[in-house]
């Protein structure tokens, strides 16, 4: 039986050009090849969310309008506040959903903003783009996301996805 996994991916810098007032599901807003790979991975999870610099933590089907903000645009104080808010919302989702693990896929900036809060999450935390020896850059991160052997619906244990950062996984 596959573990119950929630995937959270970072937003993307490049987005669809939308008309004023137009919105699309979050997973469709970002149009880079990097996001396409992260999206492919996320769609194979039991829960799939996006951490947006503008909107915080959003479900992949939440309608979003175009925006132009990254965490790099925020002060250290605002980034810490963003990380606190996203971690709070994610902890609630993970608890209510009974997830065995959360896989965080994104840059060191986005994942790093949540790191101080990993102990709030009631399940195993995996950060493959930061901890996998294979992932040495964005290209390898994309390859990791495209490798079906890592997809949550194709594994039999949390450990088969990657290295658990915090805490120990629940038995499945």
């Amino acid at each position: 039986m596959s573990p119950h996994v929630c995937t959270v991916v970072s937003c993307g810098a490049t987005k669809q050009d939308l008309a004023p007032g137009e919105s699309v599901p979050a997973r469709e807003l970002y149009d880079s090849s990097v996001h396409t790979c992260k999206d492919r991975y996320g769609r194979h999870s039991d829960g799939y969310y996006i951490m947006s610099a503008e909107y915080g933590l959003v479900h992949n089907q939440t309608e979003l309008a175009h925006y132009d903000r990254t965490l790099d645009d925020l002060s250290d104080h605002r980034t810490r506040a963003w990380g606190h808010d996203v971690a709070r919302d994610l902890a609630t989702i993970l608890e209510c959903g009974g997830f065995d693990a959360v896989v965080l896929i994104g840059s060191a900036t986005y994942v790093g903003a949540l790191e101080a809060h990993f102990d709030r999450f009631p399940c195993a935390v995996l950060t493959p783009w930061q901890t996998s020896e294979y992932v040495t850059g964005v290209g390898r991160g994309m390859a990791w996301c495209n490798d079906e052997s890592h997809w949550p619906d194709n594994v039999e244990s949390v450990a088969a996805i990657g290295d658990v950062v915090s805490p120990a996984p629940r038995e499945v």
Side-chain angles (χ1 to χ4, degrees):
M1 183 173 163
S2 297
H4 193 55
V5 175
C6 180
T7 297
V8 180
V9 304
S10 60
C11 60
T14 62
K15 299 167 189 71
Q16 287 189 48
D17 289 325
L18 301 176
E22 183 182 7
S23 64
V24 295
R27 64 173 286 269
E28 296 175 17
L29 178 61
Y30 314 101
D31 63 1
S32 72
S33 58
V34 176
H35 181 74
T36 299
C37 295
K38 293 186 294 188
D39 177 65
R40 185 173 297 119
Y41 185 91
R43 288 184 287 125
H44 290 276
S45 303
D46 299 300
Y48 172 24
Y49 293 81
I50 296 171
M51 45 186 154
S52 161
E54 178 73 15
Y55 298 107
L57 186 68
V58 295
H59 188 271
N60 75 89
Q61 292 298 315
T62 299
E63 292 281 322
L64 298 182
H66 186 277
Y67 65 92
D68 189 24
R69 174 179 287 173
T70 71
L71 287 188
D72 295 330
D73 298 334
L74 304 179
S75 67
D76 289 346
H77 174 75
R78 291 285 304 137
T79 299
R80 283 192 302 278
W82 178 92
H84 176 271
D85 293 347
V86 168
R88 177 198 61 224
D89 295 346
L90 181 55
T92 300
I93 289 165
L94 296 171
E95 182 67 34
C96 292
F99 289 98
D100 300 308
V102 59
V103 179
L104 303 172
I105 301 175
S107 71
T109 303
Y110 284 78
V111 173
L114 300 180
E115 192 170 7
H117 307 284
F118 285 175
D119 62 343
R120 295 168 76 176
F121 301 153
C123 61
V125 178
L126 295 94
T127 59
W129 282 26
Q130 284 71 40
T131 58
S132 170
E133 290 181 18
Y134 174 78
V135 179
T136 57
V138 174
R140 287 270 184 105
M142 292 168 63
W144 186 93
C145 286
N146 283 325
D147 183 343
E148 295 179 22
S149 69
H150 297 131
W151 292 354
D153 55 4
N154 290 337
V155 299
E156 293 185 14
S157 71
V158 169
I161 297 171
D163 297 329
V164 173
V165 177
S166 168
R170 291 189 222 167
E171 292 297 318
V172 262

